[in-house]
Amino acid sequence: MFNKVLIANRGEIARRVIRTCKRLNIHTVAIYSEADVDSLHVKDADEAYCVGKPPVAQSYLNIDRILEIAKESGAEAVHPGYGLLSENVNFAKRCTEAGLVFIGPSAEVIASMGSKLEARKTMKAAGVPIVEGVEAPVKDVAEATEIAERLGYPIMLKASAGGGGIGMQLVDNAEELAKAFEGNQKRAQSFFGDGTMYMERFIANPHHVEVQIIADHQGNIVPLFERECSIQRRNQKVVEEAPSPFISQETRDKMLEASVKAVRHIGYVNAGTIEYLVDKDQNFYFLEMNTRLQVEHPVTEEITKLDLVEEQLKIAAKLPLTFTRESIIKDGHAIEVRIYAENPSTFFPSPGTITVLELPTGEGVRHECGVETGSAVTPFYDPMISKLVVWGETREIACERLIQALKAYKVEGIQTNIPMLLKTVTHEQFLKGNTTTKFVEQYYLPQLAETK
């Protein structure tokens, strides 16, 4: 096992990794920007080094400076958390070249899943279901029109290098296609440096269900069940739960098997997640693979009683998994909600200073929090400030604990999405398990309009 690990991240995920490292007697090295000098992850770590000015490009994405700090501090390994450099091929490669262990898959595997178009081809070759569409870049509007006529409208136009919904658009007819193609191509080029576009058949009102996988260097692969992550705003998840209240046991078994086949096919090692769209008839289709720890990993931890960060560290140290697929028992139900510093009506960020923060307590209640009373939420970074996770023996118990915890959650000085979350998890459709990706548009926004 490692003696010292550098955490190339900030906020709650940096604290989450530090907590496990401390339990395993691993010394921790934090990095921080000038805006984060008083942050909790800096206080939690054994050592902390300034990595640069507040903008992420000048701090948390500064690979040269991060590697300098790793060398200066004597760290042996780097945990990237999620976001920032966690799926950056160059960072993983540079860590390895610098003699550091990158806690995640190889740079080659990250690259193979980084292009959505290439990932579609790879998954098809592995026998994993994919949505009907194209396996080659769409050259121009004329070709896009021809393909759309063949697939039938509406279609999904997507950027191969896209993420967070950028470069992706639902197109209803030929008139919309020309404008959508050129606009999304420009956005993809601007955000990702790659304007490659492709197209898929549109699936109406799907569920977003993903499978957590863990795999070691010895060839052991264990699927850790699924997470339902359908409730999203601005194409970003806000409520996640495990297990999914929607899929049947037969569908679950098929998804876990497909995920194991996919991971074996690409030679994946460490923690990873395969995301799927599931239609109303429980047909599932590969969406993308995230080659890192997910934001929503705590719900899997709650139902499996595993520490996924600990497992990541052990795998990176070339230790074999100490459990099998047969020995992992799915226990109860867990739900996570993401607390954002944002306006609950417009979903715009709400930076400022937190003047009061009181976290609810109770049986089955867990917090992953990156702030405290007096913390400043700056406009430089993602406005997620914490995650509230609840566990119960049944979904009904977990829902009730979540509702009570959200009612007791107290944040002052900034706006948060807690009112939106409370309306969501008390809605009769959520309580019934009807949680498609259109939940916010179908139920929350109309309810909001009625109250204005």
Side-chain angles (χ1 to χ4, degrees):
M1 186 53 86
F2 308 109
N3 293 310
K4 186 180 279 191
V5 170
L6 181 147
I7 297 96
N9 216 299
R10 62 181 297 280
E12 68 86 19
I13 189 58
R15 300 192 74 203
R16 167 74 190 86
V17 175
I18 290 169
R19 190 170 74 232
T20 291
C21 286
K22 282 184 175 292
R23 184 169 59 74
L24 298 175
N25 292 319
I26 298 172
H27 285 265
T28 53
V29 181
I31 59 172
Y32 62 92
S33 73
E34 291 174 0
D36 277 344
V37 63
D38 296 320
S39 295
L40 288 175
H41 79 279
V42 176
K43 297 173 186 173
D44 287 352
D46 296 307
E47 301 171 42
Y49 296 77
C50 184
V51 73
K53 295 186 179 299
V56 288
Q58 298 175 46
S59 52
Y60 297 104
L61 297 182
N62 187 340
I63 294 175
D64 288 338
R65 177 63 184 140
I66 293 171
L67 294 179
E68 279 177 11
I69 293 170
K71 185 176 180 182
E72 185 180 337
S73 65
E76 304 160 270
V78 175
H79 195 300
Y82 55 71
L84 296 175
L85 294 170
S86 61
E87 292 178 293
N88 185 298
V89 176
N90 187 39
F91 183 56
K93 191 177 173 187
R94 292 279 306 275
C95 283
T96 303
E97 289 172 350
L100 296 161
V101 176
F102 180 78
I103 300 174
S106 67
E108 291 75 19
V109 169
I110 295 173
S112 72
M113 292 294 109
S115 161
K116 289 183 169 56
L117 202 48
E118 287 302 313
R120 270 176 63 85
K121 286 185 200 172
T122 303
M123 290 299 154
K124 188 177 181 182
V128 178
I130 60 171
V131 180
E132 184 184 3
V134 296
E135 271 79 60
V138 181
K139 289 182 293 188
D140 50 32
V141 176
E143 187 181 31
T145 304
E146 184 184 321
I147 294 167
E149 292 294 334
R150 177 163 49 82
L151 293 176
Y153 290 99
I155 56 100
M156 285 300 295
L157 183 66
K158 294 185 172 182
S160 181
I166 298 169
M168 182 170 74
Q169 189 171 341
L170 174 64
V171 179
D172 287 317
N173 51 56
E175 288 70 36
E176 288 180 14
L177 187 55
K179 188 177 176 185
F181 188 91
E182 291 175 358
N184 281 286
Q185 193 171 43
K186 284 180 184 172
R187 272 191 289 279
Q189 185 66 45
S190 172
F191 277 89
F192 310 113
D194 181 353
T196 303
M197 305 300 294
Y198 71 104
M199 297 161 72
E200 291 178 347
R201 180 169 61 83
F202 173 66
I203 297 175
N205 293 325
H207 284 249
H208 181 128
V209 182
E210 60 191 28
V211 174
Q212 175 71 60
I213 287 281
I214 195 101
D216 65 19
H217 288 275
Q218 289 74 23
N220 302 303
I221 304 169
V222 179
L224 299 174
F225 309 107
E226 83 284 356
R227 296 185 288 256
E228 167 88 39
C229 307
S230 297
I231 298 181
Q232 307 173 6
R233 58 95 182 87
R234 292 194 285 109
N235 292 310
Q236 201 169 37
K237 303 163 189 170
V238 286
V239 182
E240 300 108 336
E241 60 184 304
S244 165
F246 173 65
I247 65 170
S248 66
Q249 186 59 44
E250 181 184 0
T251 303
R252 175 175 296 116
D253 291 342
K254 288 179 180 175
M255 292 180 78
L256 300 190
E257 275 308 313
S259 303
V260 170
K261 281 167 62 178
V263 166
R264 183 167 287 121
H265 182 79
I266 62 175
Y268 193 88
V269 171
N270 215 281
T273 299
I274 303 187
E275 301 192 338
Y276 298 95
L277 291 180
V278 186
D279 69 16
K280 61 181 174 54
D281 299 318
Q282 305 242 338
N283 298 304
F284 63 92
Y285 306 95
F286 172 76
L287 183 63
E288 65 178 354
M289 181 171 190
N290 291 132
T291 54
R292 55 173 165 77
L293 194 67
Q294 294 277 98
V295 178
E296 57 270 29
H297 75 276
V299 293
T300 297
E301 293 184 324
E302 290 297 317
I303 66 162
T304 61
K305 310 309 178 195
L306 291 171
D307 180 331
L308 291 186
V309 174
E310 178 179 346
E311 298 305 325
Q312 285 191 295
L313 289 162
K314 286 178 177 174
I315 291 169
K318 302 286 179 70
L319 298 172
L321 295 176
T322 56
F323 52 85
T324 65
R325 185 170 179 178
E326 291 72 28
S327 68
I328 293 294
I329 305 297
K330 186 170 55 183
D331 182 18
H333 199 96
I335 309 174
E336 172 185 292
V337 292
R338 303 185 188 186
I339 312 289
Y340 282 93
E342 70 180 22
N343 182 305
S345 301
T346 64
F347 309 137
F348 288 157
S350 172
T353 298
I354 298 173
T355 54
V356 175
L357 177 65
E358 294 178 10
L359 302 179
T361 58
E363 186 177 2
V365 174
R366 166 179 169 179
H367 297 282
E368 297 296 342
C369 187
V371 295
E372 61 184 346
T373 296
S375 290
V377 179
T378 75
F380 298 110
Y381 314 116
D382 185 282
M384 191 183 81
I385 57 173
S386 65
K387 300 181 304 202
L388 167 62
V389 188
V390 296
W391 177 90
E393 291 82 357
T394 64
R395 186 172 191 264
E396 290 71 26
I397 294 172
C399 285
E400 184 54 33
R401 286 177 177 169
L402 177 60
I403 292 166
Q404 296 309 318
L406 278 171
K407 286 180 177 175
Y409 212 112
K410 192 171 182 182
V411 186
E412 295 181 5
I414 58 169
Q415 288 186 299
T416 73
N417 64 334
I418 290 176
M420 178 266 187
L421 294 170
L422 201 46
K423 279 190 169 62
T424 297
V425 301
T426 54
H427 197 285
E428 62 174 355
Q429 294 299 328
F430 177 81
L431 296 174
K432 288 179 182 176
N434 295 330
T435 58
T436 75
T437 57
K438 295 299 177 188
F439 186 95
V440 171
E441 290 89 339
Q442 286 183 331
Y443 303 118
Y444 175 67
L445 293 179
Q447 191 179 23
L448 189 68
E450 286 177 10
T451 58
K452 284 184 178 175

